[in-house]
């Protein structure tokens, strides 16, 4: 490497220069000045040299905010020494990074990887309980088995030690555990902490070892009220004056999911137009959902709006919080219907729509905000069938208001 004059720059020059360009310090070291998107100068160090193979190369040594003039010269001298010894400093730096990544992979445990995964995804989860559910699942089922094992060493046998014992007795839980392990391991691979196939993947992996979920255990559906008993149930519910009763009635009349209804805010509801617009951030499918409000639903809401200082339609007992879903379960128990679930009323609505109306299946599915699984059908469906859904919800409200004969019946099983 040419031993041309060195140390041409001074600290004052480095600080004051602002015109874009390359300013030589000597022996291939340059101060590089560029203009940022904000119009302000950006300064960094660049070393130009020829590799041992004779190729011209340019190596960044860092910005002046991190590397001052003295340190830049020190780093440049170290790089020149490598060249003189027959080593390309850029290739050496790449090798050191690979070694560091390899060393990290052998020391980062599965638990540490999982915690980093959770931190990386905390802003993408709509429900604040989601992270807690993840943490509880991993703590209760995974960490004791291989939480302290390097994430790079987790294999299929370890995954099976967690999943297999509960696959038949707690199939839904086991499936979630497997899926969460798989996602953590995928993240670890993307971060260079492990290599190879994912030992927790189902297709082509655990599917060859474990029985399919539908064969391992029959699906347990949400307990739902028979739709023939809805008028009687609604009549009894309306004899309760508390906010929990109103919230349950609103949930039933709108066929909404529990969290969608309980977290409703007045900003989402247009009482004049009779529309409740749930933002995408609160929807299971991450898509905005408009709910047509029947006159019964509007009659329920209007008195609640008067004198309410909170944004929540159904404010909870804790300041700044909405009602808890446990309050609705407590309401069902107080009505002597602890055998039911709130979510099951969506099934009641769906059964009623199928058995007692002529509305097309896609209208009822749209009312439930179900995702269209058929890709062709989804591609052609541009609207949200709002006008038809408004009529459907009007008829549903009228049915709930209808005179009743029966006093109640055992719960039936129905799925969402």
């Amino acid at each position: 490497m040419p031993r041309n004059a060195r140390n041409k720059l001074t600290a004052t020059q480095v600080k004051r220069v602002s015109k874009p360009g390359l300013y030589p310090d000597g022996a291939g070291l340059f101060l590089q000045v560029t203009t940022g998107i904000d119009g302000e100068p950006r300064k960094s160090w660049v070393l130009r040299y020829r590799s041992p193979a004779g190729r011209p190369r340019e190596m960044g040594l860092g910005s002046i905010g991190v590397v001052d003039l003295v340190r830049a010269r020190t780093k440049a001298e170290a790089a020149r020494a490598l060249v003189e010894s027959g080593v390309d400093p850029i290739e050496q730096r790449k090798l050191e990074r690979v070694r560091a990544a390899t060393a990290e992979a052998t020391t980062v445990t599965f638990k540490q990887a999982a915690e980093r995964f959770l931190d990386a995804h905390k802003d993408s989860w709509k429900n604040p309980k989601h992270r807690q559910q993840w943490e509880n699942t991993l703590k209760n089922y995974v960490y004791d088995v291989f939480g302290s094992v390097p994430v790079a060493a987790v294999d299929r046998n370890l995954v099976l030690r967690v999943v297999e014992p509960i696959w038949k007795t707690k199939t839904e839980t086991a499936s979630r555990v497997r899926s969460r392990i798989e996602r953590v391991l995928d993240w670890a691979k993307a971060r260079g902490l492990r290599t190879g196939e994912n030992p927790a993947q189902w297709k082509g992996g655990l599917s060859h070892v474990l029985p399919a979920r539908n064969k391992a255990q029959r699906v347990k559906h949400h307990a739902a009220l028979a739709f023939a008993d809805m008028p009687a149930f609604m009549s009894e519910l309306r004899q309760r004056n508390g906010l929990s009763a109103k919230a349950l009635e609103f949930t039933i009349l709108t066929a909404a999911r529990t969290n969608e209804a309980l977290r409703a805010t007045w900003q989402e509801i247009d009482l004049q137009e009779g529309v409740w617009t749930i933002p995408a951030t609160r929807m299971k499918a991450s898509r905005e959902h408009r709910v047509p409000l029947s006159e019964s639903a509007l009659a329920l809401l209007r008195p609640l709006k008067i004198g309410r200082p909170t944004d929540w339609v159904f404010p909870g007992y804790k300041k700044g919080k909405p009602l808890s879903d446990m309050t609705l379960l407590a309401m069902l128990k107080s009505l002597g219907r602890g055998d039911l679930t709130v979510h099951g009323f969506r099934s009641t609505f769906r059964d009623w729509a199928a058995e007692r109306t002529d509305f097309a299946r896609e209208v009822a599915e749209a009312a439930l905000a179900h995702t269209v699984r058929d890709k062709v059908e989804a591609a052609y469906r541009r609207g949200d069938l709002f006008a038809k859904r408004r009529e459907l919800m009007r008829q549903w409200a009228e049915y709930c208001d209808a005179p009743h004969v029966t006093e109640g019946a055992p719960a039936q099983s129905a799925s969402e």
Side-chain angles (χ1 to χ4, degrees):
M1 179 173 291
R3 307 296 293 180
N4 55 312
R6 305 188 185 193
N7 302 343
K8 295 180 179 180
L9 297 173
T10 66
T12 301
Q13 288 175 312
V14 171
K15 181 178 180 180
R16 290 181 177 177
V17 68
S18 60
K19 184 179 179 180
L22 286 172
Y23 298 85
D25 185 57
L29 178 62
F30 293 85
L31 172 65
Q32 178 176 258
V33 181
T34 59
T35 303
I37 58 175
D38 57 358
E40 294 297 318
R42 297 287 186 269
K43 303 177 184 180
S44 60
W45 298 103
V46 173
L47 178 66
R48 289 180 170 179
Y49 65 95
R50 284 190 177 276
S51 71
R55 293 171 53 202
R57 311 226 52 186
E58 189 172 284
M59 180 181 185
L61 301 180
S63 68
I64 65 169
V66 178
V67 180
D68 60 15
L69 177 58
V70 174
R71 178 150 173 72
R73 288 169 176 167
T74 301
K75 294 180 73 172
E77 187 60 36
R80 295 187 196 104
L82 285 174
V83 175
E84 291 177 358
S85 65
V87 178
D88 189 330
I90 291 179
E91 298 305 320
Q92 179 65 20
R93 184 162 63 182
K94 290 180 181 178
L95 180 60
E96 289 173 355
R97 287 173 177 171
V98 170
R99 288 172 177 170
T102 302
E104 182 184 20
T106 62
T107 57
V108 174
T109 65
F110 178 86
K111 181 178 180 181
Q112 291 170 332
E115 290 170 345
R116 288 168 60 179
F117 168 87
L118 292 173
D119 286 339
H121 290 79
K122 61 183 179 182
D123 294 331
S124 64
W125 287 326
K126 300 184 291 290
N127 191 332
K129 293 182 179 179
H130 203 159
R131 179 185 177 117
Q132 188 63 49
Q133 292 170 346
W134 265 77
E135 290 176 338
N136 290 343
T137 299
L138 296 174
K139 179 180 179 180
N140 294 337
Y141 296 99
V142 182
Y143 290 160
D144 285 347
V145 178
F146 58 80
S148 60
V149 173
V151 70
V154 175
D155 58 17
R156 186 162 295 163
N157 286 332
L158 286 174
V159 175
L160 284 172
R161 282 179 57 189
V162 170
V163 176
E164 196 167 25
I166 59 173
W167 190 253
K168 292 184 178 180
T169 57
K170 300 179 180 179
T171 308
E172 181 63 29
T173 298
S175 180
R176 289 179 181 175
V177 172
R178 182 209 62 78
S179 176
R180 289 169 181 174
I181 294 173
E182 181 182 19
R183 289 189 63 186
V184 172
L185 295 180
D186 276 344
W187 176 89
K189 182 177 180 179
R191 295 303 300 264
L193 299 178
R194 62 177 287 119
T195 58
E197 69 174 18
N198 193 319
Q201 70 182 23
W202 177 255
K203 188 175 182 180
L206 295 182
S207 62
H208 296 307
V209 182
L210 299 171
R213 286 176 54 186
N214 60 351
K215 294 181 179 179
Q217 185 181 49
R218 293 183 62 84
V219 178
K220 296 180 69 175
H221 299 294
H222 297 281
L225 185 73
F227 67 81
D229 298 326
M230 177 53 73
F233 178 86
M234 187 64 82
S235 176
E236 185 175 359
L237 175 62
R238 285 172 175 165
Q239 295 177 26
R240 307 297 179 96
N241 295 319
L243 192 61
S244 296
K246 299 296 182 184
L248 180 56
E249 181 182 348
F250 179 76
T251 305
I252 293 171
L253 290 173
T254 57
R257 296 181 178 88
T258 307
N259 280 333
E260 294 165 5
L262 292 182
R263 293 182 174 277
T265 66
W266 289 113
Q267 289 87 344
E268 298 171 359
I269 293 176
D270 186 334
L271 292 176
Q272 185 173 352
E273 296 296 327
V275 180
W276 171 28
T277 303
I278 311 174
T281 53
R282 294 208 303 107
M283 292 300 299
K284 184 177 181 179
S286 297
R287 292 171 55 186
E288 181 182 275
H289 180 54
R290 295 191 302 161
V291 181
L293 298 174
S294 64
E295 187 53 45
S296 294
L298 291 170
L300 180 153
L301 290 172
R302 290 186 185 111
L304 298 180
K305 177 70 172 175
I306 301 173
R308 290 288 183 185
T310 176
D311 287 339
W312 301 112
V313 176
F314 304 106
Y317 303 110
K318 293 183 179 180
K319 187 176 181 180
K321 299 287 185 179
L323 275 179
S324 163
D325 54 358
M326 297 304 295
T327 62
L328 301 193
L329 291 175
M331 174 56 60
L332 286 173
K333 290 181 179 179
S334 73
L335 291 167
R337 298 313 304 259
D339 56 327
L340 301 176
T341 65
V342 180
H343 194 89
F345 287 104
R346 284 166 56 84
S347 296
T348 304
F349 165 80
R350 186 65 183 88
D351 292 343
W352 165 83
E355 297 287 340
R356 294 294 182 88
T357 78
D358 295 324
F359 286 93
R361 176 189 63 84
E362 57 264 28
V363 178
E365 291 295 294
L368 292 168
H370 281 169
T371 303
V372 180
R373 296 184 180 180
D374 186 287
K375 293 183 179 180
V376 176
E377 181 183 350
Y380 280 95
R381 184 186 295 177
R382 302 299 183 187
D384 62 358
L385 306 173
F386 188 78
K388 293 181 179 180
R389 289 193 290 116
R390 183 178 286 283
E391 178 60 21
L392 175 63
M393 302 315 291
R394 183 190 68 79
Q395 291 187 25
W396 171 240
E398 285 188 354
Y399 180 79
C400 291
D401 293 344
H404 60 279
V405 178
T406 58
E407 290 298 325
Q412 65 178 14
S413 289
S415 64
E416 183 179 331

